[in-house]
Amino acid sequence: MRLSLVLPVALIVLLSVVQFPTVHSQSPQLIPQQGFGLNRSASLTVKIVFLGITPDELNSTYLKRNVTVPPLKYQTILAGPLNTGVIFSFNYQLVFADNSTVSSFARYLSSIQREENTFSGPLTPSGLVNPYFTNSSTLSMAQNYFYDADKVESWLGSNMTLFGGNPVSGYTLFVADLHSYKIPSFNYTEYQNYVTPCRPCTPQAVQAHYYNRTVTDPDLGLVMYRHFMTGWGGSSRFYYMDLSAGPSYWTNELPVQVASQLRGISTSNYYGKLWMSKFVGSYVYGAVNNLFAPDQLYPVNYSQNYNLQLFVLDNRTAAEMSQGPQLTATINETMIQQNLASLVPFAGVTVHIKFANVTDYPGLAAIMANATTSLRDLISGRPIVDGDLVYNWFTTSGLGHITNFINVTRTTSTIDVPAFLFAFKGNYTFGVPVKEDIGSPNIYGTFGGEALGDMVLIGLSQQADFTIGNNSTYGQGGKGAGFTHDAIHELGHMMGLNHPFIYDLTEDFTNTVMGYYAYSLNFSQFDRDSILRGVNDELLSFALQALSTTQNTLFNAGDISMANQNIAKAENLYNTMDYAGAVQYSLAAAEDASAAQQLANSAISPALVFSLIGVAIGTAIGILLGYLLFRRSRPAGVQYNRCPTCQQPLRWDPAQMRWYCDRCQKPV
Ligand SMILES: [Zn+2]
Ligand SMILES: [Zn+2]
């Protein structure tokens, strides 16, 4: 019962190729950085603003301890080298909003409150159900109270001064408990009534509150309701979570007032305060690891241009093609360009979309026919197109037919990102073989899209996506969902972003296209910070490593000095979170350091030069001459690293943490 209610949402979420289970465990203690070759550290303040939680309900010292919240985190890369060499250290600041501030916030919530009762099943086929409360033997009615998530976020954003503003370098986390502020909340008695099995029972009513939003697919107009959130944020550098909200079926986390009574906790005694600190800390842990210092999925790579090459390939039946929608209506080039450009403001972002029929490519048509199986996914009941077979046909580590479509370059001047987007017939979906019990349902058996590192694959279908509004659970005839949302999501992975719910599910309620639940089209401020930090980290790490292995000579002293000045400028901006402004200095530092390294390795040694110009001329003139002879001329525009042997633009190789020449097949 519950599963089928989850499905309308589950069907349109995406699975990344790298699928990590949700981890609730605490981070292990980190080993001090010596010996790991780390060369940069950055400090981030995490300002926790409590709304409705008072200092005497918890133990602030215990909350800030390393056993409760993470003290440090490497900038991890999940698919690639382990980390970037950057380590973040977190300073926790606790602020307790006064009673009148919390009261005025609660009054604001009441003023935008919407109420809707739900029952164990929908009253109409497309009627609302709270998927957490579907047990007809114990539930008479769920009284749901909804607050518009965007309005709540903008109230907090415009009242930041009440809480002392955002840290100069860091993020604000609002942690609310509003159950004693006249916000209708799920309580322990209702919980007991609902979960206690009894026969016969008198079904009882429950109350709960949530944050909600309504979104519309930009291509085909399907309206989607996202009712059951317990947190929200991402438009700027703060996140809001309400521990008294819920329970939400999406996270399965109990509100604090229920969880504490379930454990028999009283915050008036010593242990109760420790328990409360740990409870809050486990949410802080999620926000820090998912949002404030998230993992990178792939290494973030600097380039002057990001060139997104999308091939939208129609594999529908002739009847479906004439039924519509037309392929060109299923994707929005402008929206993809604008959102990806928001991640890399220092670079050019171009999007090229080519529309074609699969039959235009006979080889592709043949492999698609092979991959289109009669196997069915056991959860959704949908037939499977074998994604691995299709990927193998394209990838250069397989049959390599991607070269029929695009010659991919990855250099500091251009990074090409190829994507193949399929329109399947019927309700086909991409699927992959799984080693688990193939007779039992497995949520990892199918995917809407995947970011594979060298390309994106997306598969949507006529029935389950483009015309899904015709389905009675939607009741929106003629409406559907197109490629744009999924394309931005997968391209976000290719840029390096991960999902925001790896460490805790609450942060899936974030205003970002990288989540599953919210169906946002835009990236969050956390995403933008993560990418721009990553770009600076890459360039600065290179500069620092190059300088540390370069001998200071007569000829490169100028470059070394320039590199150090640019590093200092970049770090200053980085430390005030002007990550976008820092990029030009990080880039200049990398170029200067690279030049210094090349000069130090030059075949003409200082000794030889000295003998040529004669010792009598003296050191001062020698330095000047050396500088004039060997100083690079610096053009007015931005210069990019080129191979000293062949002058090809260099590619940053994150695995080796150095520049690599693809033509000469060697690192520089
Ligand atoms: Zn994903
Ligand atoms: Zn070369």
Side-chain angles (χ1 to χ4, degrees):
M1 181 63 179
R2 200 157 140 207
L3 193 59
S4 68
L5 291 165
V6 175
L7 273 179
V9 168
L11 285 176
I12 48 172
V13 302
L14 306 169
L15 287 174
S16 144
V17 64
V18 185
Q19 292 139 345
F20 294 91
T22 308
V23 179
H24 292 280
S25 63
Q26 206 64 59
S27 62
Q29 290 297 300
L30 295 174
I31 297 157
Q33 67 184 70
Q34 284 77 21
F36 279 78
L38 293 181
N39 49 23
R40 284 187 64 236
S41 62
S43 150
L44 288 174
T45 297
V46 178
K47 177 170 168 175
I48 304 172
V49 177
F50 290 101
L51 302 166
I53 296 174
T54 57
D56 58 342
E57 284 181 84
L58 44 75
N59 183 319
S60 296
T61 309
Y62 187 64
L63 173 54
K64 292 201 265 185
R65 284 268 163 76
N66 299 353
V67 295
T68 313
V69 289
L72 301 166
K73 184 182 182 182
Y74 298 114
Q75 177 56 69
T76 322
I77 305 171
L78 298 179
L82 292 178
N83 66 66
T84 63
V86 173
I87 191 162
F88 297 109
S89 61
F90 306 113
N91 306 310
Y92 294 93
Q93 260 178 33
L94 307 187
V95 173
F96 295 86
D98 61 39
N99 192 51
S100 73
T101 303
V102 183
S103 296
S104 75
F105 177 55
R107 274 198 305 279
Y108 175 72
L109 291 181
S110 299
S111 75
I112 61 168
Q113 181 173 289
R114 296 280 176 273
E115 185 181 349
E116 189 166 347
N117 296 333
T118 57
F119 305 90
S120 56
L123 295 179
T124 64
S126 61
L128 181 66
V129 169
N130 182 338
Y132 194 92
F133 294 113
T134 55
N135 186 344
S136 60
S137 68
T138 57
L139 180 89
S140 64
M141 172 174 72
Q143 297 170 285
N144 305 282
Y145 297 85
F146 297 112
Y147 309 103
D148 183 314
D150 288 324
K151 287 182 181 168
V152 174
E153 185 183 15
S154 87
W155 189 94
L156 291 167
S158 53
N159 285 285
M160 283 299 276
T161 49
L162 293 177
F163 315 104
N166 208 50
V168 173
S169 178
Y171 298 89
T172 301
L173 176 64
F174 290 99
V175 179
D177 174 3
L178 303 170
H179 80 277
S180 53
Y181 281 83
K182 295 181 187 154
I183 300 298
S185 304
F186 194 43
N187 67 41
Y188 183 59
T189 307
E190 292 167 342
Y191 169 79
Q192 280 185 311
N193 289 341
Y194 183 69
V195 300
T196 307
C198 55
R199 201 171 279 115
C201 275
T202 308
Q204 306 277 335
V206 299
Q207 288 193 334
H209 71 269
Y210 301 94
Y211 300 85
N212 76 308
R213 68 191 313 242
T214 302
V215 284
T216 304
D217 182 82
D219 305 316
L220 301 174
L222 187 74
V223 178
M224 284 163 274
Y225 301 96
R226 294 296 191 255
H227 278 94
F228 300 106
M229 306 196 291
T230 55
W232 191 242
S235 300
S236 52
R237 286 179 172 137
F238 68 85
Y239 186 76
Y240 168 78
M241 50 173 61
D242 180 351
L243 303 187
S244 58
S248 171
Y249 76 105
W250 197 253
T251 60
N252 258 321
E253 292 163 342
L254 283 176
V256 62
Q257 67 276 8
V258 175
S260 57
Q261 281 204 46
L262 190 61
R263 283 282 179 264
I265 296 299
S266 162
T267 55
S268 60
N269 65 43
Y270 183 73
Y271 179 73
K273 296 183 211 306
L274 297 183
W275 183 92
M276 186 66 172
S277 306
K278 182 72 187 180
F279 188 89
V280 169
S282 65
Y283 282 91
V284 175
Y285 171 86
V288 168
N289 284 295
N290 281 328
L291 303 179
F292 302 159
D295 299 337
Q296 295 170 3
L297 178 57
Y298 290 113
V300 175
N301 289 147
Y302 168 82
S303 188
Q304 191 182 5
N305 290 289
Y306 298 84
N307 185 17
L308 315 175
Q309 304 241 35
L310 279 53
F311 298 87
V312 184
L313 301 161
D314 211 335
N315 203 30
R316 294 177 295 173
T317 65
E320 287 170 339
M321 289 184 197
S322 64
Q323 178 201 3
Q326 287 199 330
L327 216 50
T328 49
T330 63
I331 189 162
N332 186 324
E333 184 174 295
T334 307
M335 196 169 276
I336 294 172
Q337 195 278 335
Q338 286 172 348
N339 280 299
L340 270 295
S342 76
L343 289 178
V344 284
F346 57 86
V349 174
T350 50
V351 180
H352 297 287
I353 301 184
K354 182 170 184 197
F355 297 94
N357 289 328
V358 166
T359 49
D360 296 343
Y361 302 92
L364 178 62
I367 200 71
M368 289 304 294
N370 259 329
T372 303
T373 72
S374 55
L375 304 172
R376 279 181 186 273
D377 170 54
L378 289 167
I379 289 185
S380 60
R382 296 171 61 181
I384 298 286
V385 175
D386 188 321
D388 286 351
L389 217 55
V390 176
Y391 177 58
N392 181 59
W393 188 82
F394 279 113
T395 182
T396 49
S397 25
L399 298 175
H401 292 291
I402 190 174
T403 52
N404 301 355
F405 297 82
I406 173 180
N407 282 315
V408 176
T409 56
R410 278 188 82 88
T411 68
T412 49
S413 54
T414 300
I415 288 180
D416 290 318
V417 183
F420 298 94
L421 296 76
F422 290 91
F424 292 142
K425 66 181 177 184
N427 65 345
Y428 266 93
T429 175
F430 266 132
V432 288
V434 287
K435 74 177 179 357
E436 284 71 20
D437 180 357
I438 55 169
S440 74
N442 185 311
I443 58 162
Y444 297 141
T446 65
F447 60 90
E450 54 183 0
L452 293 143
D454 58 346
M455 72 186 70
V456 166
L457 287 183
I458 295 176
L460 298 186
S461 75
Q462 178 74 1
Q463 286 172 17
D465 299 289
F466 298 156
T467 62
I468 197 172
N470 297 342
N471 187 308
S472 64
T473 58
Y474 286 91
Q476 299 176 42
K479 304 289 189 195
F483 285 114
T484 299
H485 171 271
D486 298 10
I488 299 171
H489 176 101
E490 299 303 342
L491 292 168
H493 279 318
M494 296 290 277
M495 298 297 285
L497 295 171
N498 198 7
H499 299 139
F501 51 79
I502 301 300
Y503 295 85
D504 188 54
L505 287 171
T506 299
E507 288 77 30
D508 198 23
F509 306 135
T510 299
N511 190 357
T512 170
V513 68
M514 297 314 295
Y516 279 3
Y517 189 76
Y519 208 83
S520 294
L521 294 162
N522 52 275
F523 293 102
S524 70
Q525 183 64 44
F526 312 123
D527 297 328
R528 294 190 287 273
D529 286 350
S530 176
I531 291 291
L532 284 173
R533 268 200 302 260
V535 166
N536 283 295
D537 293 346
E538 177 195 34
L539 295 167
L540 289 173
S541 294
F542 169 78
L544 290 164
Q545 291 208 342
L547 290 177
S548 73
T549 57
T550 298
Q551 275 199 318
N552 198 329
T553 69
L554 286 178
F555 312 112
N556 65 12
D559 281 313
I560 289 175
S561 161
M562 287 293 290
N564 283 320
Q565 286 174 40
N566 282 316
I567 288 169
K569 284 179 188 163
E571 293 282 17
N572 271 340
L573 294 168
Y574 191 104
N575 290 331
T576 54
M577 299 184 102
D578 184 359
Y579 302 126
V583 171
Q584 58 175 315
Y585 297 108
S586 298
L587 177 64
E591 289 170 350
D592 293 333
S594 179
Q597 198 174 42
Q598 288 169 31
L599 288 173
N601 297 336
S602 161
I604 304 170
S605 71
L608 177 61
V609 175
F610 269 116
S611 70
L612 286 174
I613 60 180
V615 286
I617 295 173
T619 311
I621 296 172
I623 290 171
L624 181 64
L625 192 61
Y627 185 81
L628 291 173
L629 280 174
F630 296 102
R631 181 89 178 105
R632 288 175 309 150
S633 62
R634 185 182 292 278
V638 182
Q639 199 183 16
Y640 299 93
N641 285 321
R642 289 184 177 276
C643 173
T645 310
C646 73
Q647 294 303 311
Q648 271 282 106
L650 296 173
R651 173 175 65 85
W652 174 252
D653 184 340
Q656 301 186 56
M657 291 297 284
R658 52 193 306 188
W659 300 94
Y660 192 89
C661 177
D662 283 319
R663 181 180 287 173
C664 302
Q665 304 275 302
K666 65 175 170 97
V668 174

